Each structure stands twice: as C-alpha cells, then as structure tokens.
C-alpha cells in the first residue's frame, strides 16, 4: 500500500528504510501507549478529592487493604506486579482452574509453579468479566468471594463483598476515544497477502 510508505516515512523520518517489522511493532506500541484510562474515582481520591469515593467505596477500600487483597493487587495498576499461586490457602474447585493452562509452570517446569498466575491488574475490572484465567466467573461479587477464600482463607459476609465490589467499581477510568483506523487504499502494485512457507 503505497500510502503506507509515505506514512511510515513521516513517522520514522530518520530511518532509511522505515517499513520494517520492528517499526510496525513500534507503531503499534506507540498506539497502545495511548490506551490509558485516567481519572478513575479512586485516582481522584488519591489526588486529594475526599468526595470522589462514596462511603461504601471507602469501606470497601479499607477492607481491601485490611483483609490483605492489596498485598497482591497493588501499584499503579492495582495488580500485575508479580506472580502468585491461584489458591494460596485453599485449592480452588476444579471448575475454576483453567483447562490446559498451568500458568507459570509452562515456562519454568517447577512443580511449585503449577497454577501460578500474575495477580490481575484491577483497573477497569468491572468492565471485563468473565474473571480469572478459566473465564468461569461472570460476577465480580463472586470473584471477590473466591479470592478471599482461596487466597486469604477469609470468609467475607455479604455486605463486605458488596463494599469491596463498590470499591472495585471506583477503579473504572475514562476510556480513550479511538479514531477508527482507515487503511490506505490498495493499488495495482500492492502485493497480495502471502504466507511464507
Ligand atoms: C496471594 C495473592 C492474591 C491475593 C491476596 C488476592 N489476589 Fe486477587 N488475584 C490474584 C491472582 C494470581 C489472580 C489471577 C488468577 C487468574 O487469572 O486465574 C487474581 C485475580 C483477581 C480478580 C480477577 C481479575 C480478572 O480480571 O480476572 C479479582 C477481581 C481479584 N483478584 C480480586 C481480589 C480481591 C478483592 C482480593 C481480596 C479479597 C484478592 N484479589 C486477593 C492474586 C491475589
């Protein structure tokens, strides 16, 4: 697509041959870096707006810290910093374990790494069921219940679960506006897609 040659030359002005696989990756990465979701109520709260969270969300935040959720879900993305076993205090029921995916074990082959996964980042978590690698849990409240029992050995009551869910809802930020990318037009000289053999 000849237009791409123009676009890539503009985007990578110092490259003699701007159309390279590495530059495709860089371009996609630069786009992905814009996919941030700032100004979640929790962010606003951290920045000093005491009213950005409701009383219930504040109660949920307190539980999230005091019960120990934040020991694994912390940092700028409220998780994603490290790997942990899925099932610390209790083995999850079989239906919650992903089929054909033993997590870190696939990489390290160390038996202790069976069902060890990255602690999920919890930003925007309310927007993306189903939960866990198995994708078997559709309700955030149920996911909170599972986590407290298998990761912390704690049985939360109904109100506590609702409070934590309310807090998790405060992690939903402002979604980016994305312009739908229009591909340049094909020309007679545009090669057809090919798969290298
Ligand atoms: C010992 C570390 C640890 C603790 C403590 C912990 N979690 Fe997790 N959490 C994880 C891991 C690891 C996963 C990913 C499991 C998977 O993908 O199968 C996860 C996944 C989740 C998910 C699903 C996110 C998604 O996108 O699928 C939610 C929600 C969650 N945790 C909330 C909590 C809450 C609430 C608490 C406290 C009650 C808690 N976690 C305590 C490690 C932990």
């Amino acid at each position: 697509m000849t237009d791409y040659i123009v676009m890539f030359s503009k985007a990578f002005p110092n490259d003699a041959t701007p159309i390279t696989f590495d530059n495709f990756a860089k371009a996609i990465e630069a786009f992905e870096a814009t996919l941030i979701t700032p100004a979640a109520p929790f962010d606003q709260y951290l920045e000093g707006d005491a009213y950005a969270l409701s009383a219930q969300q504040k109660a949920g935040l307190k539980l999230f810290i005091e019960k120990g959720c934040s020991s694994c879900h912390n940092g700028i993305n409220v998780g994603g910093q490290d790997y942990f076993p899925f099932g610390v205090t209790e083995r999850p029921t079989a239906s919650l374990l992903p089929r054909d995916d033993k997590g870190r074990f696939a990489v390290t082959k160390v038996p202790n790494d069976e069902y060890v996964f990255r602690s999920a980042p919890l930003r925007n978590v309310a927007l993306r069921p189903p939960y866990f690698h198995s994708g078997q849990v559709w309700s955030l409240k149920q996911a909170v219940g599972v986590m407290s029992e298998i990761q912390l050995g704690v049985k939360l009551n109904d109100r506590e679960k609702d409070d934590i869910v309310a807090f998790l809802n405060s992690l939903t930020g402002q979604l980016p506006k994305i312009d739908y990318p229009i591909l340049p037009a094909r020309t007679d000289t545009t090669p057809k897609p090919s798969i290298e053999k």
Side-chain angles (χ1 to χ4, degrees):
M1 292 172 172
T2 38
D3 284 356
Y4 263 141
I5 302 177
V6 177
M7 290 175 180
F8 269 80
S9 306
K10 256 196 209 155
F12 299 96
N14 300 323
D15 284 16
T17 50
I19 307 243
T20 61
F21 192 82
D22 271 0
N23 282 350
F24 302 161
K26 275 186 201 156
I28 292 172
E29 186 190 327
F31 168 66
E32 287 184 344
T34 68
L35 302 180
I36 53 169
T37 59
F42 185 51
D43 293 317
Q44 298 177 31
Y45 181 73
L46 291 179
E47 283 160 14
D49 179 356
Y51 299 103
L53 297 190
S54 68
Q56 188 184 24
Q57 288 172 325
K58 285 178 194 167
L61 168 60
K62 196 159 181 279
L63 288 165
F64 190 82
I65 296 169
E66 286 178 1
K67 298 288 180 186
C69 311
S70 59
S71 62
C72 298
H73 298 279
N74 53 48
I76 191 152
N77 285 324
V78 202
Q81 315 273 76
D82 212 341
Y83 301 109
F84 298 95
F86 182 57
V88 173
T89 52
E90 194 181 298
R91 196 174 162 82
T93 53
S95 66
L96 289 179
L97 292 174
R99 241 187 282 154
D100 309 323
D101 185 356
K102 291 194 174 173
R104 286 293 291 159
F105 176 75
V107 179
T108 64
K109 306 290 177 207
V110 178
N112 269 354
D113 280 347
E114 279 193 14
Y115 301 111
V116 167
F117 292 102
R118 192 173 73 130
S119 64
L122 297 182
R123 273 190 188 270
N124 305 310
V125 68
L127 302 181
R128 40 159 220 271
Y131 300 111
F132 307 126
H133 273 70
S134 62
Q136 292 301 310
V137 175
W138 286 85
S139 134
L140 192 48
K141 186 168 174 178
Q142 194 189 340
V144 168
V146 168
M147 273 285 123
S148 63
E149 281 170 36
I150 69 165
Q151 303 299 70
L152 296 163
V154 169
K155 219 166 162 55
L156 298 174
N157 65 36
D158 220 43
R159 207 209 62 229
E160 290 173 320
K161 282 185 219 168
D162 284 337
D163 289 355
I164 291 180
V165 168
F167 163 64
L168 294 177
N169 277 318
S170 82
L171 301 178
T172 301
Q174 291 168 4
L175 299 181
K177 292 223 161 37
I178 297 168
D179 288 330
Y180 186 73
I182 309 287
L183 292 185
R186 298 195 74 241
T187 60
D188 287 344
T189 54
T190 301
K192 295 226 173 74
S194 68
I195 296 168
E196 259 176 72
K197 294 210 178 86

